[in-house]
Amino acid sequence: MRIILHSDLNNCYASIESIAHPEYKKIPIAVGGDPEKRHGIILAKNEIAKRYGVKTGEPLWQAQLKCPSLKILPPDFPLYEKYCSLAKRIYCEYTDLVESFGPDEAWLDVTASTELFGSGEKIAEEIRERIKSELGLTVSIGVSFNKVFAKFGSDYKKPDAVTVITPENFREIVWPAPVGDILFAGPSTVRELNRRCIYTVGEVVQAGREKMKAVFGKNGERLYIYSAGLDTTPVMHIDEKLPIKSIGNSTTPPRDLKNLEDAKILLYILSESVAKRLRTHRLLCKGVQIHLRSSDLFTQERQKKLQFPTNLSGDICKEGLSLLDERLDFYTPLRSIGIRAIDLVSEDEPFQTSLFRDEKKEEKKESLELTVDRIREKYGKESIVRSVILTDNILETANKPNVTPPAFYTH
């Protein structure tokens, strides 16, 4: 039987801030965006703020209503990365099968390590104590026979705890839990399950594999497998990397976007970031997706396939604008916007061209963007910018290095 751990650093960002600033240890703090620039989401909170009901992902203004004394700190990602790397270094002393799940979480397969270090629970307790004594952080660790239940275990008791889920006790621990507690059961899936009177993990199993597959397709079958304890997904080696499936970026600008020209500024800023990362990874995208959130907080996504794969910002932005122009009338202004390159392929993969495609023009466009890359690498991001970005001195602040939103990848 496999022995899998899932380790989750408790309140990671806020806890690290408390180490860097000891004066914050006894007050409610949260790491979030800049309210004045409307990057107003809670990224992490400490236990004191949690007792006031502050939740990760909620708007800053809402958190401050719950806790008027809440101290909101800007994120310091290099500092967080340093501590997360130190935690991973500790994990690697027990096994080389360490798979990250976000910056502050990781799976460890310690099956072969038990002969050296003792049982899975003993290893988990030792890691928990070392994280606390060496880094000053607390961690919750789940110990189980598969990745899904190990993740469930790390969420089961927080903070600073170890939970063991075995083939003998998982029905008593996991099955009574809300179905949303199982890995990858998102809000829309939970709503559909609840609509069919399936509320707990155990009720997913009772529904049966065939019914779940018939109603929800492959995702339903996967949810059944996870709920029934049948997951056999391996933990990757520390050096193994999953292929990147998409690359995107999004932002909440300092003011609402009221027309296509406003959106054009932001889409060019975001598309340049996406295109640069595509080129860094030697990838092309065969599709583009946009993510929109209106000022009344209604969210929608649109996507389209491209005639030819690309990693050029002009092409990506053009397709994003075309999706906007087709689908949106800006009756309600946009609060945030994002663009994502999807259906990725290697630069080396051949594709069918066209007699009507001007290859020399395409080569010039590619050469131009590579030249811009080199200029920015040498002289800084703002050394050369598109003129359209400079047409609005409020929106163009989204291009400043200190407020550019972090990139996101999916695997």
Side-chain angles (χ1 to χ4, degrees):
M1 183 179 73
R2 294 191 303 162
I3 301 173
I4 311 296
L5 312 186
H6 183 271
S7 181
D8 184 0
L9 296 173
N10 300 140
N11 308 318
C12 180
Y13 296 172
S15 298
I16 293 170
E17 290 290 351
S18 293
I19 295 171
H21 305 281
E23 65 272 20
Y24 297 153
K25 284 188 176 181
K26 295 185 178 180
I27 65 171
I29 66 168
V31 176
D34 185 341
E36 293 186 4
K37 293 184 173 66
R38 304 198 317 160
H39 298 287
I41 300 295
I42 298 290
L43 299 177
K45 74 283 180 191
N46 66 0
E47 284 297 320
I48 302 173
K50 188 176 180 179
R51 290 198 288 270
Y52 283 89
V54 175
K55 297 179 180 179
T56 301
E58 72 178 334
L60 296 187
W61 63 266
Q62 190 171 308
Q64 288 173 315
L65 286 178
K66 296 176 180 177
C67 181
S69 60
L70 184 66
K71 174 75 173 178
I72 297 174
L73 307 171
D76 185 348
F77 292 111
L79 179 65
Y80 310 150
E81 184 178 353
K82 173 187 172 182
Y83 274 86
C84 292
S85 295
L86 290 172
K88 187 175 288 187
R89 190 177 299 175
I90 292 174
Y91 303 152
C92 289
E93 292 184 27
Y94 297 88
T95 177
D96 58 357
L97 298 176
V98 178
E99 179 182 340
S100 294
F101 187 59
D104 55 345
E105 301 182 43
W107 280 290
L108 295 73
D109 187 331
V110 296
T111 308
S113 307
T114 54
E115 295 182 12
L116 289 174
F117 302 106
S119 69
E121 183 176 8
K122 185 176 185 297
I123 294 172
E125 289 287 2
E126 190 170 313
I127 290 174
R128 184 178 69 85
E129 290 297 335
R130 287 189 62 185
I131 294 285
K132 188 187 296 184
S133 62
E134 296 176 27
L135 304 184
L137 301 171
T138 63
V139 65
S140 293
I141 302 178
V143 184
S144 193
F145 55 95
N146 65 47
K147 290 169 70 174
V148 173
F149 286 175
K151 165 65 175 165
F152 185 98
S154 69
D155 292 334
Y156 191 69
K157 291 180 186 175
K158 289 180 180 288
D160 197 18
V162 170
T163 300
V164 181
I165 298 176
T166 67
E168 291 75 34
N169 70 10
F170 79 86
R171 295 169 182 82
E172 288 74 32
I173 295 176
V174 180
W175 284 6
V179 67
D181 288 356
I182 207 72
L183 190 63
F184 299 130
S188 59
T189 301
V190 171
R191 283 194 298 270
E192 284 300 309
L193 288 166
N194 291 170
R195 199 165 66 83
R196 290 170 170 80
C197 298
I198 298 174
Y199 298 99
T200 68
V201 178
E203 287 170 345
V204 170
V205 181
Q206 288 176 356
R209 185 170 187 160
E210 293 306 316
K211 180 179 178 182
M212 290 296 297
K213 183 178 181 180
V215 176
F216 297 99
K218 290 183 179 179
N219 288 335
E221 184 178 24
R222 181 176 66 171
L223 189 58
Y224 172 87
I225 290 170
Y226 286 178
S227 301
L230 303 177
D231 173 52
T232 58
T233 309
V235 177
M236 294 194 308
H237 189 276
I238 184 67
D239 295 325
E240 187 179 351
K241 302 295 182 186
L242 282 171
I244 298 171
K245 292 184 178 178
S246 70
I247 296 177
N249 219 341
S250 63
T251 189
T252 301
R255 67 168 176 82
D256 287 343
L257 308 179
K258 300 177 180 178
N259 51 51
L260 198 61
E261 289 304 310
D262 286 350
K264 186 176 182 180
I265 295 171
L266 268 296
L267 282 179
Y268 264 118
I269 292 171
L270 297 173
S271 297
E272 288 192 341
S273 167
V274 170
K276 175 65 168 65
R277 295 201 308 281
L278 284 171
R279 293 192 290 273
T280 298
H281 292 283
R282 294 180 52 80
L283 294 170
L284 302 171
C285 69
K286 296 166 70 176
V288 168
Q289 180 185 72
I290 57 171
H291 174 90
L292 311 170
R293 176 172 291 182
S294 59
S295 56
D296 58 5
L297 302 185
F298 176 75
T299 299
Q300 58 178 311
E301 290 185 343
R302 298 286 184 269
Q303 67 183 49
K304 67 185 300 184
K305 290 185 177 181
L306 307 183
Q307 186 177 5
F308 304 106
T310 186
N311 58 14
L312 303 181
S313 60
D315 294 344
I316 293 168
C317 184
K318 177 184 174 184
E319 299 302 335
L321 284 169
S322 127
L323 280 168
L324 265 179
D325 198 28
E326 292 170 8
R327 306 281 182 164
L328 203 67
D329 57 12
F330 287 93
Y331 180 78
T332 303
L334 290 179
R335 177 176 173 81
S336 66
I337 189 169
I339 192 163
R340 183 191 294 262
I342 59 175
D343 197 5
L344 306 187
V345 295
S346 167
E347 278 185 349
D348 301 323
E349 184 172 310
F351 64 90
Q352 181 65 50
T353 186
S354 166
L355 291 173
F356 304 103
R357 179 177 162 94
D358 188 337
E359 295 297 339
K360 288 188 177 180
K361 182 179 178 181
E362 294 303 316
E363 288 175 7
K364 287 181 180 179
K365 285 162 57 179
E366 182 178 356
S367 176
L368 177 61
E369 294 218 11
L370 290 173
T371 301
V372 170
D373 286 348
R374 289 193 289 269
I375 292 172
R376 287 175 174 166
E377 286 168 6
K378 186 171 183 178
Y379 299 106
K381 183 178 177 181
E382 294 184 271
S383 58
I384 181 168
V385 296
R386 292 179 184 268
S387 59
V388 66
I389 294 173
L390 302 175
T391 58
D392 189 299
N393 59 4
I394 295 177
L395 294 179
E396 68 105 2
T397 60
N399 196 44
K400 306 296 183 184
N402 62 327
V403 296
T404 299
F408 57 82
Y409 299 78
T410 60
H411 295 271

